[in-house]
């Protein structure tokens, strides 16, 4: 299992089916558009887990600054393909995030998951994350 930054068009194309498991509404065109904008505006990056040359997991993140958390890494996306879950790939991606955040002198890591995502919440609990907030959203 190899983790590496997905930046080239070919790598981003390999990540798309994995990301689509988490974000089923995405079209490939919209996915590329959002990655380009998020990378340009917020420094968004994707770290992908590859089993040989097949992408089996992905994590998208950016570095943010605010009054509550100071400098911190925000993980926007974390997904492992259905066929590769329970193989420690998600844990490996989170460890990578922790190491990267430390190297970048971040004070914390942060992420959100859906209230209905019971499996995800159990995973984050097992990995030592603490439930700290409830997020609200209003569509415009």
């Amino acid at each position: 299992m190899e983790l590496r930054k997905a930046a080239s068009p070919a790598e981003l194309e390999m990540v798309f089916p994995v990301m689509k498991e988490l974000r089923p509404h995405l079209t490939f065109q919209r996915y590329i558009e959002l990655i380009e904008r998020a990378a340009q505006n917020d420094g968004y990056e994707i770290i992908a887990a590859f089993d040989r040359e097949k992408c089996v997991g992905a994590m998208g993140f950016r570095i943010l600054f605010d009054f509550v958390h100071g400098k911190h890494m925000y993980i926007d996306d974390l997904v492992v393909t259905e066929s590769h879950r329970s193989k420690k790939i998600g844990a490996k991606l989170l460890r990578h995030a922790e190491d990267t955040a430390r190297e970048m002198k971040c004070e914390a890591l942060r992420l959100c998951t859906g209230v209905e995502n019971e499996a995800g919440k159990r995973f984050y609990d097992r990995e030592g994350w603490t439930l700290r907030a409830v997020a609200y959203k209003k569509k415009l």
Side-chain angles (χ1 to χ4, degrees):
M1 189 65 48
E2 177 191 6
L3 298 184
R4 65 178 185 253
K5 182 177 176 180
S8 73
E11 288 168 329
L12 292 173
E13 189 171 340
M14 286 189 277
V15 169
F16 177 67
V18 177
M19 196 65 77
K20 194 160 174 70
E21 286 190 33
L22 182 64
R23 314 273 183 226
H25 64 282
L26 280 180
T27 63
F28 183 72
Q29 182 177 348
R30 182 72 172 148
Y31 161 78
I32 294 299
E33 176 186 306
L34 289 170
I35 287 173
E36 289 173 354
R37 282 190 128 164
Q40 181 180 17
N41 293 334
D42 299 321
Y44 178 85
E45 295 182 24
I46 294 177
I47 300 299
F50 288 90
D51 183 5
R52 296 183 181 93
E53 284 304 307
K54 180 177 173 55
C55 182
V56 296
M59 177 182 65
F61 69 92
R62 55 204 161 115
I63 303 301
L64 299 177
F65 297 81
D66 64 34
F67 292 118
V68 176
H69 309 284
K71 181 180 182 182
H72 64 283
M73 177 183 284
Y74 185 82
I75 299 171
D76 291 277
D77 315 288
L78 178 61
V79 61
V80 174
T81 59
E82 183 76 35
S83 62
H84 283 75
R85 290 189 188 143
S86 298
K87 296 182 179 182
K88 306 286 186 205
I89 297 167
K92 190 172 185 178
L93 286 164
L94 285 180
R95 298 285 173 281
H96 181 82
E98 290 174 22
D99 292 344
T100 302
R102 280 189 191 94
E103 288 170 13
M104 298 180 83
K105 308 287 190 242
C106 291
E107 297 174 44
L109 290 98
R110 193 165 63 96
L111 58 80
C112 292
T113 191
V115 293
E116 72 288 343
N117 185 1
E118 294 300 327
K121 290 188 279 188
R122 284 191 303 274
F123 168 72
Y124 296 121
D125 287 341
R126 272 194 319 271
E127 293 302 314
W129 288 66
T130 304
L131 179 62
R132 297 285 305 161
V134 175
Y136 285 89
K137 177 179 178 179
K138 186 174 187 177
K139 285 202 138 206
L140 302 176

